[in-house]
Amino acid sequence: MKGRNQTIISEFLLLGLSSQPQHQNLFFDLFLSIYLITVLGNLLLIILIRLDSHLHTPMYLFLSILSFSDLCFSSVTMPKLLQNMQSQIPSIPYAGCLTQIYFFLFFGDLDNFILVAMAYDRYVAICFPLHYTTIMSPKLCLSLVMLSWVLTTFHALLHTLLMARLSFCVDNMIPYFFCDMSALLKLACSDTHVNYLVIYIMGGLVVVLPFLLIILSYARIVSSILRVPSAQGIHKAFSTCGSHISVVSLFYGPVIALYLCPSANNSTVKDTVISLMYTVVTPMLNPFIYSLRNRDMKGALGRVFCQKKIPTYV
């Protein structure tokens, strides 16, 4: 990281949530509350699925992994954000920045692939109900999970290694509250063409392709329902897929708005708000979406905490 007209950058300044001193404590309390709700909500979901045998199905296996991923995804940025809010200088070390990029990409990608697996699970459940247990076998579920972990590890490691080879000049101010890869590339002194090329290629494979697969799954589900239209079938489809559609919208909406449809005037405030949506708000809301709208989860809550027999409905 050293050369002519360059200095060694040992840390970066995260300026995305800089505010007036009188508002600092208010923001700290707000984001601390959100983070605690995120951790407790996702942990509760994981524990319920683990303890209740009625939830030992492919859908809830994927949901428990999604909750674990959301918990970790939020933990990549939130503790550092809270620490910087209590600090005079909102900084992050160079090595810490690269580490944050790796885990941010890893758990963000894992969310992405698990949402695809959940969409496929719903497609099989609605379109092939009689063959569901045969198709969604433990072997297939394990294979989907392992493939997700391998792909996310490769993608996150690739971008982190490409970022580590770059040199950085005097400017070390990042206009976000975390080490955003695109913002970091703008600070680099060395050639970034390879980085951008890999971002465009891998972005299509890791973000756009999974999103299209989810859309395709729901297109097939809608087509299957319309072939034999009935009020009961439509209600069952919406009750089965409603939570997943909500989570997919919350996850992909901000990502598409921020990275695929960037603001023309480079509005930092707008980008920060969108970033907060998918890094802070979405991981907090997911447990509530799946528990409040899900009859199985409500039943599990009763069985685990109230220790009383609640009938299970298919």
Side-chain angles (χ1 to χ4, degrees):
M1 294 196 303
K2 191 175 180 181
R4 289 181 300 175
N5 300 324
Q6 295 181 10
T7 57
I8 296 176
I9 297 294
S10 60
E11 65 179 15
F12 295 96
L13 300 180
L14 303 175
L15 307 178
L17 280 179
S18 298
S19 61
Q20 300 297 324
Q22 62 266 28
H23 299 149
Q24 204 74 352
N25 288 335
L26 176 63
F27 279 116
F28 179 83
D29 292 340
L30 173 64
F31 286 108
L32 178 61
S33 300
I34 290 175
Y35 182 56
L36 291 176
I37 292 171
T38 301
V39 172
L40 293 175
N42 283 289
L43 275 178
L44 177 61
L45 216 59
I46 294 169
I47 291 170
L48 279 177
I49 294 170
R50 175 68 178 172
L51 293 180
D52 194 281
S53 60
H54 296 83
L55 302 181
H56 293 175
T57 63
M59 183 177 78
Y60 291 107
L61 166 67
F62 295 139
L63 178 56
S64 64
I65 297 171
L66 181 69
S67 292
F68 172 75
S69 181
D70 280 340
L71 192 159
C72 295
F73 186 57
S74 182
S75 298
V76 170
T77 56
M78 286 295 282
K80 189 61 185 175
L81 171 62
L82 293 170
Q83 179 188 346
N84 284 341
M85 282 183 169
Q86 297 295 95
S87 172
Q88 296 294 325
I89 303 175
S91 63
I92 185 170
Y94 173 79
C97 194
L98 290 181
T99 303
Q100 193 177 68
I101 286 175
Y102 174 81
F103 286 108
F104 184 87
L105 289 172
F106 181 90
F107 291 112
D109 290 347
L110 187 59
D111 262 15
N112 198 24
F113 289 121
I114 294 300
L115 287 173
V116 176
M118 294 175 76
Y120 179 70
D121 174 81
R122 294 300 85 203
Y123 162 69
V124 174
I126 292 175
C127 297
F128 305 99
L130 299 179
H131 303 284
Y132 177 77
T133 54
T134 304
I135 297 174
M136 296 303 296
S137 63
K139 183 179 179 180
L140 177 63
C141 294
L142 182 60
S143 298
L144 290 174
V145 172
M146 292 303 297
L147 180 62
S148 299
W149 280 83
V150 170
L151 291 175
T152 54
T153 301
F154 170 75
H155 183 241
L157 191 59
L158 175 62
H159 281 299
T160 306
L161 292 176
L162 286 174
M163 192 66 67
R165 72 184 181 86
L166 299 179
S167 302
F168 295 91
C169 301
V170 178
D171 188 7
N172 68 337
M173 292 183 290
I174 300 175
Y176 291 92
F177 60 93
F178 63 95
C179 283
D180 181 74
M181 193 163 57
S182 60
L184 207 59
L185 286 173
K186 295 176 183 177
L187 303 180
C189 296
S190 49
D191 182 54
T192 58
H193 284 93
V194 174
N195 295 72
Y196 281 112
L197 180 62
V198 173
I199 286 174
Y200 293 136
I201 294 174
M202 298 303 294
L205 295 174
V206 173
V207 178
V208 178
L209 183 58
F211 180 64
L212 292 177
L213 288 174
I214 292 174
I215 297 297
L216 178 62
S217 296
Y218 280 105
R220 297 294 296 271
I221 289 172
V222 171
S223 174
S224 176
I225 294 171
L226 292 179
R227 277 196 221 107
V228 189
S230 68
Q232 184 180 2
I234 293 173
H235 174 74
K236 180 181 178 182
F238 276 106
S239 63
T240 305
C241 302
S243 298
H244 185 255
I245 293 173
S246 301
V247 171
V248 168
S249 302
L250 282 171
F251 180 81
Y252 282 102
V255 171
I256 291 172
L258 184 61
Y259 294 108
L260 300 184
C261 304
S263 54
N265 58 351
N266 294 320
S267 172
T268 303
V269 175
K270 176 191 170 186
D271 290 349
T272 300
V273 171
I274 295 173
S275 299
L276 283 170
M277 273 299 299
Y278 77 90
T279 60
V280 176
V281 178
T282 300
M284 177 189 70
L285 292 180
N286 285 354
F288 294 99
I289 293 172
Y290 276 103
S291 58
L292 296 178
R293 299 184 58 178
N294 190 300
R295 186 166 46 189
D296 292 335
M297 293 302 301
K298 292 177 182 177
L301 276 169
R303 284 187 292 270
V304 171
F305 292 103
C306 300
Q307 295 297 314
K308 63 182 180 181
K309 200 72 175 177
I310 297 178
T312 304
Y313 301 93
V314 181

